[in-house]
Amino acid sequence: MMSEPRFVHPQVRRADAVQPRVPLTPSTPSTLEASRQSMRDATLAECGAGLAVFDVVDLVCDGVRCRLYRADETAGGTVVFLHGGGWVLGDLDTHDALCRGLCRQAGRPVLAVDYRLAPEHPYPAALEDTERALEWLRRDGRSVGLSADPVVIVGDSAGGHLATVVARRCRDRGADLAGQILVYPVIDPAANYPAEEDHGLGADEMRFFWRAYAPADADLTHADLAPLRADLAGLPPTLIITADLDPLRVEGERYAEALANSGLPVTAVRYLGLNHGFARKLAIFDGAGMAVSQIGAAIRHLLQPMRRE
């Protein structure tokens, strides 16, 4: 019996036409710079100019470039944002519109971290940069009007991987975060992706990302690379968003299941008919604005004072 064809939102086809696809696989590493430039060049068409916020300022936090978005509100708490791009693509500008939307919807300041990229700076460079920025926030954040506690960490794709690893490491140091929000996160270095039609992120492309990020001698069973192998008890409340047409959907939902089975508060939401990367493409996908609103509402919930009593 043949299975019914999967629903592909018409806006997925539109998105495919906006950014020319640059092959990026283990056999074509020479295309990396072209792929980076292609992402930058398509940002305005995909994401739009972004919403106005109260204030935007570029910072250097313990040697790590960051961008601070401030809302015109006095509610406490800070959001730390980690962009996606397979640890090798993306920067503060490619995710600027998304951060502006999060700042507006959450009504909280957003500190976006411009961590170093692989393969020039492989694991654990991005992880180290994220932790340095978070330590700066806790030590010196008040100098720019930020609250060092509570903190919600948000990451998309490879940024989601970094976010959950940092949340666990914070737990281990007794410096718990108020919550983690993972948007179609990278979770499993085994890279056993389902054999499905490529809708903007292919299995070979993901394998290139893993090889760029994790050196050949890296222990892929270590919890800092394989979050599913970690002790998950005590991690903060979690929202996981996945995309239906995404090779990472299965592992993201497996991680949600593992968190729930560890007794943690977790909500998992799948956006039907959409593909990897949709949430930042606010100028293309109706679902992007809905996802940003959902994340903003989750941040407000996680940072409300009654949760910290």
Side-chain angles (χ1 to χ4, degrees):
M1 184 176 180
M2 295 182 62
S3 61
E4 294 185 4
R6 300 179 68 184
F7 166 56
V8 179
H9 198 290
Q11 290 171 341
V12 171
R13 305 300 186 194
R14 179 185 167 199
D16 287 344
V18 171
Q19 181 183 358
R21 193 77 177 270
V22 177
L24 193 58
T25 70
S27 62
T28 59
S30 62
T31 62
L32 176 55
E33 280 307 319
S35 184
R36 286 171 171 166
Q37 190 60 47
S38 177
M39 185 178 189
R40 289 191 289 264
D41 290 345
T43 294
L44 183 60
E46 291 179 327
C47 309
L51 297 171
V53 297
F54 179 70
D55 187 34
V56 180
V57 59
D58 287 345
L59 303 170
V60 178
C61 305
D62 244 359
V64 180
R65 292 184 64 240
C66 296
R67 181 169 294 166
L68 173 61
Y69 303 81
R70 279 188 280 227
D72 190 14
E73 297 190 25
T74 58
T78 300
V79 178
V80 172
F81 177 80
L82 306 173
H83 69 78
W87 303 285
V88 309
L89 309 173
D91 53 33
L92 297 176
D93 293 331
T94 59
H95 288 68
D96 180 76
L98 175 55
C99 289
R100 288 171 177 271
L102 293 178
C103 181
R104 282 278 293 269
Q105 291 293 333
R108 301 299 199 281
V110 175
L111 184 69
V113 180
D114 193 23
Y115 55 83
R116 288 170 292 170
L117 299 179
E120 296 90 342
H121 304 282
Y123 165 85
L127 182 59
E128 291 172 345
D129 287 354
T130 302
E131 292 196 316
R132 281 209 307 276
L134 189 54
E135 290 166 3
W136 174 90
L137 170 63
R138 287 176 164 147
R139 186 184 66 245
D140 298 328
R142 288 182 179 83
S143 66
V144 292
L146 295 180
S147 171
D149 184 67
V151 172
V152 169
I153 196 164
V154 180
D156 79 283
S157 193
H161 182 279
L162 294 171
T164 198
V165 171
V166 168
R168 176 186 54 78
R169 288 164 64 100
C170 285
R171 176 207 65 187
D172 292 347
R173 293 194 297 270
D176 292 343
L177 302 180
Q180 60 175 356
I181 298 176
L182 316 176
V183 185
Y184 29 77
V186 181
I187 294 295
D188 191 354
N192 293 322
Y193 304 115
E196 296 179 349
E197 184 181 353
D198 180 348
H199 290 284
L201 176 64
D204 282 345
E205 189 174 14
M206 272 308 308
R207 293 186 182 104
F208 171 85
F209 292 149
W210 269 115
R211 292 184 187 183
Y213 179 57
D217 60 350
D219 178 5
L220 295 181
T221 68
H222 193 284
D224 286 350
L225 290 170
L228 277 166
R229 292 179 175 268
D231 173 10
L232 304 180
L235 283 178
T238 303
L239 168 65
I240 294 181
I241 289 176
T242 58
D244 193 28
L245 307 175
D246 182 359
L248 301 180
R249 174 183 59 79
V250 173
E251 62 194 62
E253 293 174 3
R254 281 178 58 215
Y255 193 53
E257 180 181 356
L259 291 170
N261 287 335
S262 296
L264 303 174
V266 58
T267 300
V269 180
R270 183 194 304 179
Y271 277 70
L272 296 178
L274 298 186
N275 59 344
H276 188 84
F278 78 89
R280 62 178 279 271
K281 299 176 183 179
L282 290 151
I284 297 177
F285 289 106
D286 298 331
M290 296 296 288
V292 172
S293 295
Q294 182 178 26
I295 296 168
I299 291 168
R300 287 181 178 271
H301 174 71
L302 291 166
L303 291 178
Q304 61 186 343
M306 63 181 295
R307 293 194 61 85
R308 306 197 300 275
E309 294 175 354

